[in-house]
Amino acid sequence: MPRPPGSRTPFPRPLSRTAGARRTAPLRCALALALALPLAAAGQLTDPPPAAASDNGLSIRPAMGWSSWSFVRRWPTEAKIKAQADAMLSSGLKDKGYIHINLDDFYQKCDANGFIVDDYGRWAVDEKKFPSGIKALADYIHDRGLKFGFYVTPGIAKNAVTRNTPIEGTPYRAKDIADTSKQEKNYNCKNMYYIDYSKPGSQEFVNSWARQFASWGVDYLKIDGVGSHDIPDVRAWDKALRATGRPINYALSNNLAIADAPTWRQLANSWRTQGDVECYCGPGPNGSGYPLTDWGHITSRFTSAANWQQYAGPGGWNDLDSLQIGNGDQVGLTADQRRSHLTLWAMAASPLLLGTDLTALDATDTAMLTNERLIAVNQDGVAAKRIVNSGAKQVWSKREADGDHVIALFNTGASGNQTVSVTWAQAGFTGTAQVTDLWSGRDGGAVADSYSVTLRPGETRLIRAAPAAGNTVRHEAENASYTAGSTVDSNHGGFSGSGFVNTPNAVG
């Protein structure tokens, strides 16, 4: 049925080849089929798609949900996590696609030598914080139609090595696989030794840990403290999670090296592109409490999002860190800044994992987070490019599968209004476009050639521009045939087979 002006379905759109789509099934494509419809203008073709993403079949769209770190911080408990899961339902966020409830760090028990471990050398859960156990917590979350996320860091605990615990199902022990000359990064109990993956039993240790997580009902696993030296661990956990037979969304953290982006993309479903978004400037212990962040921690993401843009696509996403939206101004951002925060995350196709207190949602922020037009921009499977970068003036643009262009204009400054402009040619088309304001849903009418807006400090304008002319749509296919008058072209980079079928033999 016809949609009113400005309305858009919140559900994911089909992906086109030019939008950077990649298959996430193990099969690789033999030929990309291009059904060439009339072009609106030259320059419609996008850059080649990124390197092949993880083929574990997960995270075809960016994950949406909540993570415990920003607000709960070092003091998670079973009751607190259950309360956040309940609030996810009662707030209506679950109905909009926010389905992950992720327990981050500090669920473990420590002594003077680091993590206390179980009989197989794996971290023991603090039963005072989680008296019912992790499986019972996961069951509680699953019963509400949500998914449960968990947390680990690379390496093997010092206490496992000291006790020389057996590796489950093998004749090997912790001392057989530990490199005690080096310690891994860990933010809680520390005292994690490197694993020597040349030693028998090393993969089996990680496998046993992954099996435990799967048996508890884990749907999402964040492996934190990852650096380029941890690629063997990242690979081992990828193998281990697949071997469980349970679909587990695999996330890497934090501040990963962009030089290794193709590796992160091949092995994982998301990767943190910078350090923490939290400012650690609150009044509580270790900087906890409000404010959770500040504008500088948001604006620093603009450049990293631009640098990492080429690596995002179905199956693997650039993670800009948690969304600090939900509790009003006290998080450390104005309403304008919070809208810009969500706009950048949506345009970058970053996971939308809330870090705020869902039990105390602010009405203004709830309206932001449940805006279906914004959610659709995030879930379209396309990461936007920065096309204007002039001081506080920034413009980002992406072309969706149906040919519409989504364009975000920002004033990233902390003071002073800015008039921010973009030409349609900069966005990749020419002529006239029907414009919709995606934050308000207002119909902006037909706009020719360019768009301009004056923005307050920290304010954004997000529009959808539907070109009046036609567009090119490409579909990736395993194979294709072509009739007389068609050609197989190879003048567009990024295809994975022998070329593109150009059915009407259209130029360009």
Side-chain angles (χ1 to χ4, degrees):
M1 59 183 292
R3 292 181 295 213
S7 69
R8 286 279 164 180
T9 174
F11 301 105
R13 306 161 179 269
L15 294 178
S16 73
R17 176 64 168 175
T18 53
R22 301 291 305 188
R23 294 178 61 90
T24 53
L27 293 176
R28 292 291 178 240
C29 297
L31 183 68
L33 171 63
L35 302 177
L37 303 175
L39 287 170
Q44 289 280 16
L45 301 180
T46 63
D47 285 345
S54 169
D55 62 359
N56 65 6
L58 301 174
S59 205
I60 305 306
R61 309 287 171 169
M64 298 173 62
W66 175 86
S67 174
S68 66
W69 181 251
S70 296
F71 174 71
V72 175
R73 208 62 70 86
R74 297 181 176 211
W75 304 275
T77 65
E78 180 178 310
K80 289 178 182 178
I81 304 305
K82 286 181 175 180
Q84 297 297 321
D86 291 341
M88 188 74 89
L89 268 68
S90 62
S91 65
L93 288 170
K94 175 190 175 256
D95 294 336
K96 301 300 182 182
Y98 297 88
I99 60 170
H100 292 274
I101 298 290
N102 295 343
L103 171 58
D104 207 274
D105 203 358
F106 287 80
Y107 63 82
Q108 317 92 333
K109 288 196 297 186
C110 310
D111 64 16
N113 293 312
F115 291 98
I116 296 174
V117 296
D118 68 9
D119 290 342
Y120 295 111
R122 303 164 303 201
W123 294 346
V125 174
D126 188 338
E127 67 275 4
K128 292 182 180 178
K129 293 181 177 181
F130 298 90
S132 303
I134 298 300
K135 185 180 185 307
L137 176 60
D139 289 345
Y140 184 93
I141 289 168
H142 292 152
D143 288 345
R144 281 145 185 79
L146 300 167
K147 293 182 180 293
F148 175 65
F150 209 45
Y151 176 98
V152 74
T153 64
I156 185 168
K158 179 179 179 180
N159 276 323
V161 178
T162 302
R163 288 175 50 189
N164 202 22
T165 51
I167 295 170
E168 186 180 39
T170 78
Y172 306 110
R173 290 183 172 267
K175 286 183 179 178
D176 297 329
I177 67 170
D179 178 354
T180 58
S181 69
K182 297 184 292 184
Q183 288 202 10
E184 285 279 10
K185 182 183 290 186
N186 183 275
Y187 306 99
N188 183 359
C189 306
K190 302 180 172 54
N191 293 295
M192 291 291 290
Y193 290 130
Y194 273 61
I195 294 174
D196 184 346
Y197 285 97
S198 70
K199 300 293 182 65
S202 56
Q203 181 66 54
E204 289 81 359
F205 172 71
V206 177
N207 289 352
S208 77
W209 216 346
R211 283 196 305 271
Q212 181 187 63
F213 291 168
S215 73
W216 287 347
V218 170
D219 305 296
Y220 180 109
L221 183 66
K222 171 181 171 179
I223 179 168
D224 201 3
V226 172
S228 296
H229 56 276
D230 294 311
I231 288 174
D233 296 88
V234 174
R235 184 170 286 112
W237 275 99
D238 176 44
K239 291 178 182 177
L241 294 176
R242 291 170 187 263
T244 67
R246 182 176 182 82
I248 299 177
N249 194 317
Y250 183 27
L252 307 179
S253 183
N254 66 37
N255 202 16
L256 285 107
I258 195 169
D260 293 311
T263 299
W264 313 136
R265 180 167 172 77
Q266 179 188 26
L267 297 174
N269 298 121
S270 64
W271 42 87
R272 281 272 304 281
T273 58
Q274 276 184 257
D276 290 354
V277 74
E278 295 84 8
C279 64
Y280 300 102
C281 53
N286 307 108
S288 60
Y290 297 110
L292 301 178
T293 191
D294 55 40
W295 186 228
H297 279 76
I298 304 302
T299 56
S300 70
R301 262 67 183 166
F302 281 82
T303 294
S304 65
N307 292 341
W308 284 81
Q309 180 269 341
Q310 62 181 306
Y311 300 107
W317 306 102
N318 300 320
D319 184 355
L320 306 188
D321 205 5
S322 298
L323 275 173
Q324 306 303 308
I325 302 172
N327 304 142
D329 291 354
Q330 65 182 331
V331 300
L333 304 172
T334 67
D336 279 342
Q337 291 168 345
R338 297 196 301 279
R339 288 189 188 90
S340 291
H341 177 13
L342 180 53
T343 300
L344 177 63
W345 267 236
M347 289 294 284
S350 171
L352 301 183
L353 297 173
L354 305 174
T356 45
D357 180 9
L358 303 185
T359 70
L361 287 173
D362 171 86
T364 298
D365 287 13
T366 301
M368 293 182 196
L369 296 171
T370 57
N371 185 318
E372 294 182 349
R373 293 177 296 273
L374 268 292
I375 294 171
V377 169
N378 175 258
Q379 295 288 294
D380 64 11
V382 185
K385 289 183 178 182
R386 182 165 62 181
I387 59 174
V388 173
N389 182 26
S390 177
K393 304 176 185 180
Q394 296 205 27
V395 181
W396 294 66
S397 177
K398 59 177 167 178
R399 181 179 181 274
E400 294 187 325
D402 63 359
D404 285 1
H405 294 254
V406 180
I407 302 170
L409 303 92
F410 296 93
N411 175 4
T412 62
S415 62
N417 291 353
Q418 296 283 351
T419 298
V420 186
S421 303
V422 62
T423 67
W424 293 156
Q426 288 173 307
F429 66 99
T430 57
T432 299
Q434 191 71 24
V435 169
T436 303
D437 184 315
L438 293 180
W439 269 109
S440 68
R442 287 192 294 268
D443 184 356
V447 178
D449 301 328
S450 64
Y451 184 87
S452 182
V453 62
T454 299
L455 300 172
R456 297 183 295 270
E459 190 184 9
T460 187
R461 183 67 53 85
L462 181 64
I463 63 171
R464 182 179 298 279
N471 55 74
T472 297
V473 179
R474 286 187 166 83
H475 302 278
E476 188 169 15
E478 298 301 328
N479 53 66
S481 60
Y482 59 98
T483 59
S486 302
T487 59
V488 175
D489 295 342
S490 59
N491 60 348
H492 171 56
F495 56 83
S496 55
S498 56
F500 292 94
V501 172
N502 184 353
T503 47
N505 194 17
V507 175

